[in-house]
Every structure is written in C-alpha cells, then in structure tokens.
Amino acid sequence: MLRATLSRGAARAMLRRPMSSAAAARPWRRAAGFLGGSLVLGAGLGGGYYAMQPNVDLRDDENVEEVDALIIGGGIMGSTVAVMLKLLQPNWKVKLVEQHGRVAQESSNEWHNAGTGHAALCEPNYTPKNKQTGEVEIDKAVAVNQKFMISLAFWSWLVEMGILPDGSFIQPAPHILFVHDEDGRKWLKERVEKLKHLPAFAATEYTEDYDKIKSWVGLLCSGRDKNSGEPIACSRHPDGTEVNYGLLTRQLVQSLIELGGDVQLLSTVTGLKQQADKSWLVAVQKNDLTSSNTTTVKAKFVFAASGGGSLRILQMAGIPEVAGYGGMPVSGKFLVCQKPEIIEQNRNKVYGRAAIGAPPMSVPHLDWRTIYGKDCIFFGPFAGFSPAVFKMSGSPLDWLSTFNPSNILPMMAMGIQNLDLVKYLVTEVFSSRDAQLEALRKFVPDAKPEDWTMVWAGQRIQIVKPDPKVIGKLEFGTEVLSSADGTIVGLLGASPGASVSPHIAIEVMRSPFLSKSSFPGHAVLSCLLACLLASLA
C-alpha cells in the first residue's frame, strides 16, 4: 500500500590561448552578445510574422461543446488539476485535451526527467550562498520540502480512496549530495548543520570518510583512489524518493476517465476568445489528414498546462497579465546505464553542484531509476539549446510565435544579463562525447563509454519575466499566472513542477473564479492537511 511506503519516505575559455583572462573574455563576450542579439532579433521578426497570421474564427453556435472546465495538456500538471477538480466538483464536465496520441509524452515522460521527488533533501540549488554574507540560505529548501509533503499526502489519499490503483509510481531512494573540493565541503557541512535541526531534515548524515561514502554509494568510489587526497564529502537522507511521473500521469488520466471526465487526444488548441459572460470559446483542431477539422469548446474555466506551450495559449487568450512574459528554451540529455553490475552499486539519487553559469536544472546528478520494471541509472543532464517548445512535436515556429512587441525588450535584456548562461549553453551544445564522459567520471571515475547510452530529455521553457528595474529577468522555477477574473490560468516554467504538482493545483484552485465556486480554497487545504497528518501517523 502506498501509505506505508510514503510514510517511511516522508518520515525517514572556448579555446586555450596564451592571453590574459580579461583579453580572452572580450572576444567571447562580443561573440555571445552578437549571438544573443541576433537570436532575439531573428526570433522577434519571425514571431512578428507568425503572430500576424489570421486568427481562428470562433463563434458561439449550436455546434459548440459546452464544458465546465477545459484542461489543455496531458502531463502531470494537467492530469493533477483535472482529477482534483473532478473530485471537488463531481457534477462538473471536465475535459482534457492533449496534442499527442498518449498522455505524458513530453517532460512528464519517465525517459524525459530524472524522477526525483524534489524535497530539497539533496538538491544544492535550494540552499544557495547569500551573495552578501556568504552564508548558506535554507528558506527555499524548507518551502520546497513542505510542498513535497503535500504531494505525498495527496498521492497517499488517492491510493487509500481507491482513486489510484496502487503506489507503484513511487519508491524509496536515499538522497545524497556529493562534493569533491574544499569549498564544497565547507558549504555542504554548513548546509547540513542549518537544516538538521528541522524535523524533515533531522535524519540527514554528513561524512568526509571514504569508506562511509563507499558504503552509501559504491559507484562514487569505483575507481577513486582512497589515498589520492581528493577532498570528497557527502550528506545522506535515507527517506528520499524515486518517482515515475509518467506512470503517475497515466494513472491519473485513467482515474479521470473513470470519474466521468473526458479525454481528447491528437488535438491542438489553436485559438481562444472570451465571451461577454466571461466564458471562453476555444478552437480545438483534430490532428487528422485534413488539418482543418476544428471544433469549438465553450468552457467556464480554462487551465493551460501544456508545458512550454502554456505561454502561447495565454498570449492567444489576450489577457493583459501575460504582457512582457517570454520563454527561454533549454533542452537536455542524459547518459543511461542498464548494466546490472553497475546499477547494484547505486540505489540512490546522488546530486552534485552545478557548474558556474549553469541553470539550476543542469545540476549534475546520478539517479537510480525503475522504468517499465527495469532498473537503470541516469546521469546528467547535459544542457543544450533547441529553438522549440516541444520535444516530440512542433517546430521552431512554436517558440517564435511567442515573441511580440511587449516581450522583445525583456528578452533582449535577459540575454545581456545572462552571458554566462549563453556561454554555458553554447559550450554544452558543442561538447564532445569525451567531455561528457569526463563529466560522468567526476562521479564514477572508472566509467566506460560502452556502458552508457545518450538519450534526450524533455524540452523546458524557462520564464523570462518583465521587471521594472532590469527590464527583463530569467527565472527558474514555476509560476501560476491567472487572468484578473480567474477564468483562465496557466502554469509557466519548469522544475520543480512535477514534484509539487498537488501544491500547484491548490494554487490553481485559489484563482478568483474557482475560489468563488461551491468549494472554497481553504476546504482544499484542510482536506490535504488531514491527509498529511494521516500519512505521517
């Protein structure tokens, strides 16, 4: 039973030239600036052309399908919100639309993410150093941990109520944070000391002992010389989790259908228009051979949960709240090992620290996973850039279409402010297999290339947000963006979305429209709080 499992999990320089660093930096910065400016200008022109194409003709007539709630996107977020809405409003007609022939095909798919239950037990980006004082900050880690506890409670309750068939989508996996330099040791020790007094982190252990680390993760010491003098250290929390978000999403969608919800696959939203009564007319194009088979859905509430496509949906809706917002596409790859004798040396989630200038989603980690009943290990991600919104479908035009007069300046400002990130992405895109193997060998010193296979991860779109001080800034994380009347809500951004999907769903329930419905937001919170207390009992 999931309750028992979850209760245990909850309680327990591009070229090396002989010149000065300043001189070496100038050509790179000019090249990066030119590249970034050209990219934004080209995207702006292309997006402007794309945006000038005629809109879909939407009319409210007898052929319109009426629903109470329309969910756009069949990933972990769309399925979570759809099920929660159907449970809170059994009489509502809830419809989910997905562009692919199956749900969980993009970032939610088990091959497109690392499957970490993000509880801040080992992720270094949740405990950064304060730039002024140099001290480790823990506020973000505490907040993420609390949100993940809500996820555990909600999933436990769904299984106990028989809404989900079982808890096969989640397994115990200790979470380990690994460093291999003196600065890392100092930072990690302070991190553990600051978090350990909190109940959720009390079980965390810290060690610099080679033999202890080997007993935790044999793979970290495979080929690593004990007497080399390399300053290594690890923290370990025994109650971490490995989550198959693809399997969870498929189970949630099956449950939605059994609860009376409607799921329409192979269909893409191509237009939205709000009516005088605040409802929305939504054009849904079926991906058939005619490419013109479009139906209209009239919905009282719309939730855009289509990953990188959510931004364009909110823009098509024309809500002023999305003005100035843009998106930065970041792709990634994982090395995968399926060799049993290697896998048995690591049954953990092992995280390291990100390279300077790297986005938080590129923190290197070595992950034990179970996919379709077979154990494997992921290592990565290796970041990259692809001018697309989706991995499995679409084209660069999907990203270009998000550019408009309101977000050109924020996008340009973001590019200028993040030259280190641009440099990192360019370096990653052109990195050789030898360089990728070398990155792996920092974790697994004797790693052999014949034991590892490269796979592409899902496509992420990071938020570029308008800012009065710096014009535009890049943000990592997720944001729930709602229209003023709350009749349309969208989820923007990436990690840690899947891990905290029930908490995000609660934020969606707090939208002005839904909070005025027969279920108030505090009722949802009270229910989840009761579930959390029960799961920890």
Side-chain angles (χ1 to χ4, degrees):
M1 178 178 286
L2 179 60
R3 175 177 178 177
T5 301
L6 292 183
S7 297
R8 289 194 298 271
R12 344 178 256 230
M14 295 184 72
L15 295 175
R16 296 180 179 176
R17 298 177 179 174
M19 62 174 67
S20 69
S21 59
R26 284 195 294 269
W28 164 251
R29 287 185 175 275
R30 286 196 296 268
F34 176 78
L35 175 64
S38 299
L39 178 64
V40 172
L41 179 61
L45 293 174
Y49 173 79
Y50 197 89
M52 287 189 295
Q53 300 306 302
N55 293 325
V56 177
D57 184 23
L58 288 165
R59 298 178 182 178
D60 189 359
D61 56 33
E62 66 276 5
N63 296 319
V64 168
E65 177 188 3
E66 295 192 15
V67 301
D68 294 289
L70 178 65
I71 313 299
I72 305 172
I76 184 64
M77 273 314 315
S79 58
T80 299
V81 169
V83 168
M84 190 176 287
L85 268 175
K86 193 62 181 172
L87 290 171
L88 293 168
Q89 288 284 11
N91 295 325
W92 272 25
K93 186 173 182 180
V94 178
K95 184 182 185 70
L96 185 149
V97 174
E98 163 60 38
Q99 64 174 327
H100 297 301
R102 298 178 64 192
V103 297
Q105 290 298 286
E106 292 287 342
S107 294
S108 298
N109 187 272
E110 47 266 62
W111 284 102
H112 299 164
N113 60 76
T116 302
H118 286 290
L121 302 178
C122 66
E123 303 91 321
N125 47 303
Y126 297 140
T127 49
K129 281 186 178 181
N130 185 288
K131 294 182 179 180
Q132 280 71 43
T133 66
E135 294 184 355
V136 174
E137 298 179 332
I138 65 171
D139 292 350
K140 190 173 183 179
V142 173
V144 169
N145 184 271
Q146 291 172 344
K147 292 175 182 179
F148 188 66
M149 292 302 103
I150 291 176
S151 297
L152 293 178
F154 185 64
W155 297 335
S156 296
W157 181 76
L158 290 177
V159 172
E160 291 180 4
M161 296 297 292
I163 298 166
L164 290 180
D166 54 45
S168 58
F169 59 87
I170 189 168
Q171 301 181 71
H175 282 193
I176 291 174
L177 183 45
F178 169 64
V179 295
H180 48 87
D181 55 53
E182 287 294 350
D183 180 68
R185 273 184 170 182
K186 182 180 178 181
W187 167 82
L188 180 56
K189 194 170 185 178
E190 183 181 349
R191 181 188 194 273
V192 172
E193 289 173 350
K194 285 197 168 187
L195 287 171
K196 195 173 174 65
H197 72 280
L198 300 172
F201 300 89
T204 305
E205 300 177 70
Y206 172 85
T207 187
E208 299 175 3
D209 182 72
Y210 178 96
D211 292 328
K212 186 73 170 178
I213 292 173
K214 186 175 182 180
S215 70
W216 287 350
V217 194
L219 207 55
L220 286 179
C221 297
S222 182
R224 193 180 302 275
D225 186 358
K226 181 178 180 179
N227 302 312
S228 66
E230 182 183 14
I232 60 175
C234 281
S235 67
R236 177 183 184 271
H237 197 296
D239 300 324
T241 54
E242 140 72 14
V243 186
N244 187 325
Y245 295 108
L247 177 58
L248 174 57
T249 299
R250 292 188 290 272
Q251 290 184 356
L252 284 168
V253 172
Q254 181 62 40
S255 298
L256 172 65
I257 295 171
E258 293 172 358
L259 290 167
D262 181 29
V263 176
Q264 182 174 325
L265 303 175
L266 298 170
S267 300
T268 304
V269 169
T270 57
L272 301 92
K273 183 179 180 181
Q274 191 168 32
Q275 303 300 287
D277 63 358
K278 301 299 182 181
S279 66
W280 289 90
L281 292 181
V282 183
V284 180
Q285 179 179 305
K286 295 181 180 179
N287 303 335
D288 57 23
L289 295 179
T290 68
S291 298
S292 61
N293 189 354
T294 300
T295 60
T296 302
V297 177
K298 184 176 183 179
K300 298 175 184 176
F301 173 76
V302 176
F303 178 52
S306 56
S310 294
L311 174 62
R312 181 57 184 157
I313 289 171
L314 294 178
Q315 291 174 333
M316 286 192 294
I319 62 173
E321 289 79 10
V322 78
Y325 277 77
M328 174 68 177
V330 179
S331 58
K333 296 177 286 185
F334 285 107
L335 286 171
V336 178
C337 177
Q338 301 181 75
K339 201 169 183 177
E341 55 265 39
I342 295 177
I343 298 167
E344 67 183 12
Q345 299 180 64
N346 178 44
R347 300 281 178 171
N348 314 272
K349 299 287 187 180
V350 185
Y351 274 62
R353 300 175 77 187
I356 296 174
M361 65 170 287
S362 296
V363 166
H365 41 97
L366 194 69
D367 298 277
W368 167 67
R369 309 233 38 212
T370 299
I371 298 178
Y372 299 121
K374 183 177 177 61
D375 289 341
C376 58
I377 293 177
F378 280 25
F379 176 78
F382 298 97
F385 175 81
S386 173
V389 170
F390 301 108
K391 175 185 186 296
M392 305 299 292
S393 66
S395 72
L397 288 179
D398 296 326
W399 180 50
L400 297 180
S401 70
T402 66
F403 283 77
N404 57 47
S406 75
N407 64 19
I408 290 294
L409 285 180
M411 288 291 290
M412 293 181 67
M414 178 277 299
I416 295 171
Q417 296 162 29
N418 291 276
L419 292 179
D420 285 343
L421 174 58
V422 174
K423 178 179 178 180
Y424 170 78
L425 293 177
V426 171
T427 302
E428 287 284 285
V429 167
F430 293 104
S431 65
S432 65
R433 292 186 177 182
D434 288 342
Q436 294 165 347
L437 185 61
E438 186 62 29
L440 171 62
R441 284 176 173 163
K442 291 179 180 179
F443 280 69
V444 188
D446 62 355
K448 300 176 182 178
E450 60 266 28
D451 296 332
W452 298 82
T453 303
M454 185 70 76
V455 298
W456 281 91
Q459 184 82 342
R460 270 72 167 174
I461 305 295
Q462 305 294 345
I463 303 169
V464 178
K465 189 173 183 178
D467 184 271
K469 294 182 180 180
V470 296
I471 303 177
K473 61 181 180 180
L474 183 66
E475 291 197 345
F476 297 100
T478 54
E479 179 179 347
V480 175
L481 192 64
S482 171
S483 62
D485 58 14
T487 56
I488 184 168
V489 178
L491 179 67
L492 305 179
S495 180
S499 296
V500 298
S501 49
H503 183 274
I504 293 174
I506 293 172
E507 289 189 57
V508 174
M509 300 303 146
R510 287 173 169 172
S511 71
F513 174 77
L514 292 180
S515 62
K516 293 177 182 178
S517 301
S518 58
F519 57 91
H522 71 266
V524 181
L525 290 175
S526 297
C527 174
L528 291 179
L529 178 59
C531 296
L532 176 58
L533 293 174
S535 69
L536 295 175

